[in-house]
């Protein structure tokens, strides 16, 4: 306890003296804040992407695709196959006893951004039964499309970003004309950047004879294995069965890997620079108080107390830096929509990133305080007492 | 400069502190050099692309086009040569080692790509060997391939008839191409090999390469080509390679802006670091600076001295940081084929160094200038 | 002898917060060329202030300061700096050498303000160091020299530009008896052997005994004192 008291006393003394050294102390705070702000902002891109794509994805969702396809829109699952899938074990049923499966057609169509650039978005064709799978999806304007007519509903984000997708507009997609009869939102999920129509209509309009994928709600996350085994062992089917959550993450992997790599790489380089700055600050802090520290040690305060107090001071400077950095990243970028590679999503400064920021700041603070604290503890007391 | 020893002594007054600050500044300029180099490399790559080469893709960018369309395209006025191209993005040995292989028609490849330099003998070798491949030197260096090696490509997007995604090829040549070519870092394999071996999409290619006579006619010719297939089942979208490269960059986002923002943030923090430490140095040296005034150095002279210290320090650190970054450029060229212009980068870097020196050095320099000799000597 | 330094009705006032302190009251003083003058007095008597005025480090609130025919109280601070470079050499109690420069580089400092070539500067530095007997120590940094040696380097620096005046503020205050006598002997030699005018502030009567004239200062005014045996 004596040690704790010592540490407390010395640290309190140092902290009280901080305002006198505002200039050099700011160096650490600003240095750390900059590193954290940049790193968190960059990583927020990856986080935003994951969150946005993972929204509305449940643990008991699975997706069935044709085997060997590189992308979800290239598959070919026949109606018969869809029926077999619906009968597979492990599939949940709705209140009316029908299997909760949603076979979907999926085509990529070209649309024009408001600024004239072209972009590709998804156009999904869903069956009436498949609606129950997605309770969070609801219309915010207009009405749902009717079967056998070329009507579609546009996601909120798509409607806002591309031409001719407002309520009542006529839009030509791959040579076919469609009417926008409704706008929908889906809890911020990626479907808001796409179009939805009737499966049969979509399939006949774009020359597709089969569905591209089947989304399935399982009875429970654990039911996945039986479900998957039943389908993959069935010789009539040539399909791949994946948990939707994993599948989405995997699709994104190349992109998120690069983003995270860049974020961490730059973060590390900057952190190194900030660490040097922190060491500098602490050396200056120690230098400025050589006589005080020596006096304390002459009085009888132990070396450990001095070391710890310097480290604590360094950490105390790093933490506001981290908070400032996260705040800056949050104010500037949180929620800001970013469009990249056909995806639109808001940047997300998540609690996870906040924790990361604190950890990094502490690391920088520790490194910054280490060498100077050892120096402080080993000052030759006699000479130090004479220092000006 | 006769004042150099004095300036140098001022900088190294506290060697530990000077070294640490130097490292921070070097670090910042290294980051700057790498980021800017990357951005300049990207821009350069776009600029290097040829304006007389067009790419025709399906309007729905995921669908392939039937090769039958090539004859019609060839007949459009101003078109010099056409060629189908199937990108067979593959991995080699591990899932992270990507090989960009392109299945092309050897008979046409030199005609459609003016920047490509491959000896005729190598072209013939590729034509003779159905499973042959010619690779760029950059790729050969990266994976250690030589002529005669058999490379099993694991394609990500094309399945082989035997059900596997593996396409074995034999290296029959290694080529070097500087300047703008579509195949700078690529492996060229036979279109026939891939087309005849694959399970789906036979007789199609996702991209047609179209060489035209006059780059100024690129716009009208592209429009003519697309008009040929408008309202058909396979509508096309034709654009120059440069246009497409620029669009691709735009897709990823405004990289330039991001890089500039990061660099700005770093230098802002650096201003603080260097500024605070110079100020501290001046405060510590009050008696010495006072003595200089007693010797006859003017107020302006002392201000100049501190600024000179700041400038010397920042320029030297910048030189080291930029120098280190520049050492990476040839490596980038060898391994990635990335051409980075060092000259403009250095100029910008040094301009930044000067700006940094002047802004961070000004408050301390003014302090030194205003120093009252009498007070300072008396210890006040 | 012609008065090299002449102070007429010099008054110096300072503002300390709200108070105004008058440190020198209507002072008159003349110093002849070739004199070795000692300024003595208790602490707070204003002797350092007086020295600063003579050395051109400060300007009087009222009155005239004339050195070698020039009214230095009327010079702007820029001109004053240039004047100091040519006319005054300072020696301080705590030496005030640049800790990061070698002895010879320290001595060279005043010459950087002249237009002498590098070779000429080197020559003058060597001569100055030889005069104070520290030729063998010219590459050493101050922290490698004893107190006495550092002060001698300071003296070499003070004379290297051949100034009109040598102004010393408690030059032996930080030295032991023996070293102090060496330094004072050096000053005396510069005065007698080389004709340098030396004005020295000291509180130590033994140090003052090396001078040719002693003047006493008390509470900002001169106190007449018996002159020591002069040359």
């Amino acid at each position: 306890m004596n040690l704790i008291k010592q540490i407390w006393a010395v640290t309190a003394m140092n902290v009280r003296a901080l305002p006198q050294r505002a200039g050099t102390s700011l160096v650490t705070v600003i240095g750390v804040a900059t590193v954290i702000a940049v790193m968190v902002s960059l990583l927020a891109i990856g986080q935003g992407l994951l969150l946005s794509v993972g929204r509305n994805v449940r643990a008991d969702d699975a997706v069935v695709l044709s085997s060997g396809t590189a992308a979800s829109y290239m598959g070919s699952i026949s109606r018969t196959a869809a029926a077999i899938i619906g009968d597979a074990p492990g599939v949940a049923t709705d209140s009316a006893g029908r299997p909760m499966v949603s076979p979907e057609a999926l085509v990529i169509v070209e649309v024009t951004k408001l600024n004239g650039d072209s972009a590709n978005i998804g156009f999904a064709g869903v069956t009436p039964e498949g609606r129950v799978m997605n309770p969070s999806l609801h219309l915010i304007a207009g009405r749902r499309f009717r079967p056998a007519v070329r009507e579609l509903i546009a996601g909120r984000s798509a409607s806002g970003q591309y031409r001719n997708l407002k309520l009542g507009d006529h839009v030509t997609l791959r040579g076919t004309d469609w009417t926008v009869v409704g706008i929908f939102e889906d809890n911020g999920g990626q479907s808001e950047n796409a179009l939805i129509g009737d499966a049969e209509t979509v399939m006949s309009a774009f020359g597709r004879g089969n569905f591209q994928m089947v989304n399935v709600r399982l009875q429970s996350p654990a039911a996945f294995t039986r479900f998957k085994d039943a389908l993959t062992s069935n010789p009539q089917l040539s399909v791949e069965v994946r948990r939707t959550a994993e599948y989405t993450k995997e699709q994104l992997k190349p992109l998120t890997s690069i983003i995270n790599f860049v974020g961490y790489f730059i973060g590390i380089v900057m952190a190194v620079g900030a660490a040097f700055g922190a060491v500098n600050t602490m050396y200056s802090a120690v230098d400025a108080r050589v006589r005080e520290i020596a006096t304390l040690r002459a009085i009888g305060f132990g070396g450990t107390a001095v070391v710890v107090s310097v480290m604590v001071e360094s950490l105390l400077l790093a933490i506001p830096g981290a908070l400032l950095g996260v705040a800056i990243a949050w104010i500037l970028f949180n929620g800001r929509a970013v469009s990249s590679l056909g995806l639109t999503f808001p940047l997300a400064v998540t609690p996870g990133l906040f924790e990361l920021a604190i950890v990094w700041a502490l690391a920088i603070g520790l490194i910054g305080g280490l060498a100077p604290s050892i120096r402080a503890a080993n000052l030759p007391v006699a000479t130090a007492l004479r220092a000006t | 400069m006769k004042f150099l020893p004095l300036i140098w002594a001022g900088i190294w007054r506290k060697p530990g502190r000077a070294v640490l600050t130097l490292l921070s500044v070097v670090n910042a300029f290294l980051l700057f050099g790498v980021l800017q180099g990357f951005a300049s490399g990207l821009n350069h790559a776009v600029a290097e692309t040829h304006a007389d080469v067009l790419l025709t893709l399906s309007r729905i960018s995921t669908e392939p086009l039937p090769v039958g369309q090539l004859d019609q395209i060839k007949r459009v006025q101003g078109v010099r040569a056409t060629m189908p191209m199937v990108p067979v993005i593959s991995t080699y040995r591990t899932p992270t080692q990507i090989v960009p292989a392109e299945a092309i028609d050897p008979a046409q490849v030199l005609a459609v790509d003016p920047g490509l330099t491959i000896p005729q003998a190598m072209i013939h070798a590729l034509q003779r060997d159905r499973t042959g491949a010619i690779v760029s030197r950059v790729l050969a260096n990266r994976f250690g391939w030589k002529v005669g090696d058999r490379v099993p490509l694991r394609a990500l997007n094309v399945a082989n008839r035997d059900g596997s995604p593996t396409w074995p090829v034999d290296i029959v040549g290694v080529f070097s191409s500087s300047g703008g070519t579509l195949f700078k870092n690529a492996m060229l394999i036979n279109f026939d090999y891939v087309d005849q071996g694959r399970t789906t999409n036979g007789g199609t290619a996702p991209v047609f390469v179209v060489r035209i006579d006059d780059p100024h006619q690129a716009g009208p010719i592209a429009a003519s080509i697309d008009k040929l297939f408008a309202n058909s089942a396979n509508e096309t979208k034709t654009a120059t390679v440069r246009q497409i490269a620029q669009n691709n960059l735009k897709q990823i986002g405004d990289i330039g802006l991001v890089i500039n923002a990061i660099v700005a943030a770093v230098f802002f923090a650096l201003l603080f670091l260097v500024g605070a430490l110079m100020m501290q140095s001046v405060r510590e040296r009050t008696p010495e600076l006072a003595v200089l005034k007693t010797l006859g150095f003017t107020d302006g002279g002392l201000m100049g001295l501190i600024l000179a210290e700041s400038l010397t320090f920042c320029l030297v650190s910048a030189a080291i940081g930029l120098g280190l970054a520049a050492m990476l450029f040839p490596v980038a060229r060898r391994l990635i084929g990335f051409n980075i212009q060092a000259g403009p980068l250095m100029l910008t870097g040094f301009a930044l160094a000067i700006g940094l020196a002047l802004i961070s050095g000004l408050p301390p320099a003014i302090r030194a200038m205003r120093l009252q000799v009498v007070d300072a000597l008396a210890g006040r | 002898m012609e008065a090299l330094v002449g102070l007429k009705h010099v008054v110096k006032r300072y503002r300390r917060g709200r108070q105004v302190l008058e440190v020198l009251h209507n002072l008159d003083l003349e110093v002849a060329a070739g004199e070795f003058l000692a300024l003595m007095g208790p602490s707070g008597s204003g002797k350092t202030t007086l020295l600063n005025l003579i050395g051109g480090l400060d300007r009087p609130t009222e009155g005239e300061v004339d050195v070698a025919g020039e009214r230095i109280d009327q010079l702007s601070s820029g001109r004053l700096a240039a004047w100091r470079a040519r006319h005054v050499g300072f020696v301080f109690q705590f030496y005030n050498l640049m800790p990061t420069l070698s002895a010879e580089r320290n001595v060279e400092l005043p010459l950087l303000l002249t237009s002498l070539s590098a070779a000429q500067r080197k020559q003058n530095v060597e001569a100055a160091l030889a005069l104070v007997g520290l030729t063998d120590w010219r590459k050493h940094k101050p922290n490698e020299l004893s107190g006495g040696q550092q002060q001698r380097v300071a003296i070499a620096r003070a004379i290297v530009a051949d100034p009109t005046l040598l102004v010393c503020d408690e030059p032996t205050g930080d030295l032991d008896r023996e070293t102090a006598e060496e330094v004072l002997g050096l000053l005396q030699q510069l005065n007698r052997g080389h004709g340098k005018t030396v004005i020295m502030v000291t509180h130590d009567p033994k140090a003052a005994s090396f001078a040719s004239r002693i003047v006493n200062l008390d509470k900002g005014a001169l106190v007449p004192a018996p002159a020591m045996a002069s040359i």
Side-chain angles (χ1 to χ4, degrees), chain A residues 12-87:
Chain A
M13 194 183 79
N14 293 347
V15 170
R16 239 176 275 134
L18 266 180
Q20 289 167 13
R21 288 187 323 280
T24 42
S25 304
L26 261 165
V27 168
T28 296
V29 174
I30 302 240
V32 172
T34 316
V35 178
I36 299 294
V38 170
M39 200 175 73
V40 166
S41 302
L42 288 175
L43 292 177
I45 301 176
Q47 291 296 106
L49 184 56
L50 281 175
L51 275 181
S52 152
V53 170
R55 219 177 269 271
N56 307 330
V57 173
R58 301 160 50 127
D60 50 5
D61 276 351
V63 59
V64 182
L65 308 149
S66 298
S67 64
T69 48
S72 50
Y73 47 80
M74 297 213 267
S76 181
I77 300 180
S78 68
R79 300 177 210 302
T80 344
I84 297 178
I85 293 170
D87 288 335

Side-chain angles (χ1 to χ4, degrees), chain C residues 21-198:
Chain C
L21 297 168
E22 193 167 284
V23 180
L24 294 177
H25 317 301
N26 215 349
L27 210 128
D28 292 302
L29 177 66
E30 272 185 10
V31 181
E35 274 201 81
F36 187 157
L37 181 71
L39 278 177
M40 290 194 65
S43 83
S45 55
K47 47 191 202 295
T48 300
T49 311
L50 181 55
L51 204 67
N52 287 342
L53 290 179
I54 296 175
L57 287 180
D58 203 356
R59 275 199 285 275
T61 320
E62 285 169 30
E64 295 176 18
V65 180
D66 193 303
V67 179
E70 212 171 340
R71 284 282 302 278
I72 63 172
D73 57 289
Q74 290 179 330
L75 291 178
S76 68
S77 34
R79 309 278 304 275
L80 210 49
W83 181 87
R84 281 200 300 275
R86 286 213 323 112
H87 286 100
V88 188
F90 284 94
V91 180
F92 301 98
Q93 179 178 357
F94 293 110
Y95 332 129
N96 283 342
L97 297 176
M98 300 285 161
T100 46
L101 293 176
S102 66
E104 62 183 358
R105 287 262 181 235
N106 261 294
V107 174
E108 193 194 14
L109 277 177
L111 297 179
L112 295 180
L113 298 166
T114 65
S115 47
L116 293 175
S117 71
Q120 286 169 320
R121 293 201 298 272
K122 195 160 143 77
Q123 238 182 356
N124 288 349
V125 167
E126 279 174 8
L129 279 171
L131 209 65
V132 303
L134 283 178
T135 310
D136 293 333
W137 297 82
R138 63 188 185 283
K139 299 270 185 230
H140 284 74
K141 292 235 176 57
N143 63 354
E144 296 160 5
L145 300 170
S146 73
Q149 287 173 320
Q150 289 186 55
Q151 195 60 297
R152 284 194 274 162
V153 171
I155 293 174
R157 179 181 69 189
I159 58 167
V160 75
D162 198 22
T164 318
L165 279 181
L166 217 62
V167 168
C168 312
D169 193 350
E170 305 270 13
T172 55
D174 204 47
L175 302 170
D176 61 71
R177 179 93 267 144
E178 214 180 289
T179 327
E181 290 201 0
E182 276 175 30
V183 168
L184 288 163
L186 178 55
L187 287 175
Q188 206 178 50
Q189 193 209 333
L190 287 170
N191 171 248
R192 294 190 187 165
H194 297 265
K196 290 257 166 265
T197 312
V198 180

Side-chain angles (χ1 to χ4, degrees), chain B residues 2-3 5-6 9-10 12-14 287-299 373-375 377 380, chain C residues 14 16 52 57-58 77-78 81-82 84-85 90 92 96-101 105 109-110 112-114 121 157:
Chain B
K2 61 181 172 176
F3 290 103
L6 187 60
W12 291 103
R13 207 170 165 279
K14 284 226 171 99
E288 288 157 45
L289 296 174
V291 169
L292 287 178
K293 282 203 179 176
T294 68
L295 294 180
F297 280 75
T298 59
D299 295 346
V373 185
V374 171
D375 289 339
L377 287 178
R380 285 192 284 268
Chain C
Y14 284 118
R16 266 302 108 78
N52 287 342
L57 287 180
D58 203 356
S77 34
R84 281 200 300 275
F90 284 94
F92 301 98
N96 283 342
L97 297 176
M98 300 285 161
T100 46
L101 293 176
R105 287 262 181 235
L109 277 177
L112 295 180
L113 298 166
T114 65
R121 293 201 298 272
R157 179 181 69 189

Side-chain angles (χ1 to χ4, degrees), chain B residues 233-313:
Chain B
N234 298 295
E235 290 187 323
T236 60
K237 192 169 60 171
T238 308
T240 63
V241 175
R242 182 170 301 177
Q243 189 70 42
I244 294 177
Q246 278 167 343
N247 285 349
N248 284 345
L249 268 194
K250 263 210 278 180
Q251 282 271 13
I252 299 179
D254 203 339
I255 298 186
L257 194 64
V258 169
I259 288 183
N260 285 341
I262 295 177
V263 170
V266 169
F267 275 85
F268 177 72
L270 208 62
L271 267 179
F272 253 93
L273 178 72
V274 178
L277 289 160
M278 287 234 66
M279 184 59 104
Q280 209 197 14
S281 164
V282 166
R283 261 199 222 120
E284 284 165 4
R285 283 191 283 164
T286 304
E288 288 157 45
L289 296 174
V291 169
L292 287 178
K293 282 203 179 176
T294 68
L295 294 180
F297 280 75
T298 59
D299 295 346
L302 257 106
M303 180 164 162
L305 183 69
I306 302 297
L307 282 176
E309 275 182 28
S310 186
L311 269 169
T312 311
F313 181 77

Side-chain angles (χ1 to χ4, degrees), chain C residues 215-229:
Chain C
V215 159
N216 275 301
L217 211 59
D218 192 15
K219 297 205 188 55
L222 288 172
V223 173
M228 301 280 294

